[in-house]
Amino acid sequence: MKKNTFALYKMSHCPYCIKTIKAIKNLKIDVEYKDINESEKHNKTLIQEGGKRQVPCLRIPNENGAPTWLYESGDIINFLTKLSVN
Ligand SMILES: N[C@@H](CCC(=O)N[C@@H](CS)C(=O)NCC(=O)O)C(=O)O
């Protein structure tokens, strides 16, 4: 995993993921996608590090420590929107 890139844990056919990915594309932010149904490794990482199996979840890298795991499509979109405005 690239250390300094946002990663969106998602699965196909999830309406909240589709909405979040659409917003990310509109904002033109560089995000890696991790499908938890296609990869058991991504599924395990999400549960162990994020805390629960729920998508979408954005992994936010932190240069000085552990990454932050942000759940909830609305919160993810707000966070990324604010980031691209600043
Ligand atoms: N309020 C959440 C809802 C997310 C949600 O319900 N995600 C479903 C998939 S659509 C999920 O992760 N379910 C767990 C599972 O399928 O194991 C959001 O807006 O992100």
Side-chain angles (χ1 to χ4, degrees):
M1 189 188 297
K2 283 184 253 163
K3 277 240 151 59
N4 297 316
T5 313
F6 292 119
L8 188 80
Y9 286 72
K10 55 99 173 175
M11 55 192 187
S12 35
H13 311 301
C14 160
Y16 306 97
C17 299
I18 293 168
K19 179 178 85 169
T20 306
I21 293 167
K22 209 178 257 182
I24 290 169
K25 299 234 155 106
N26 280 336
L27 292 166
K28 298 186 169 52
I29 291 174
D30 188 26
V31 171
E32 271 186 76
Y33 295 99
K34 314 272 187 192
D35 194 305
I36 65 166
N37 275 346
E38 286 175 5
S39 159
E40 187 47 31
K41 180 176 151 237
H42 296 334
N43 185 43
K44 272 198 179 146
T45 303
L46 175 66
I47 295 168
Q48 285 173 0
E49 296 186 32
K52 59 181 172 182
R53 182 188 152 97
Q54 183 184 297
V55 288
C57 179
L58 185 70
R59 179 187 184 277
I60 305 167
N62 179 354
E63 277 183 26
N64 303 312
T68 300
W69 296 79
L70 182 62
Y71 287 93
E72 293 298 327
S73 54
D75 293 343
I76 296 169
I77 293 168
N78 278 343
F79 170 80
L80 293 174
T81 302
K82 279 187 190 148
L83 199 81
S84 65
V85 165
N86 291 331

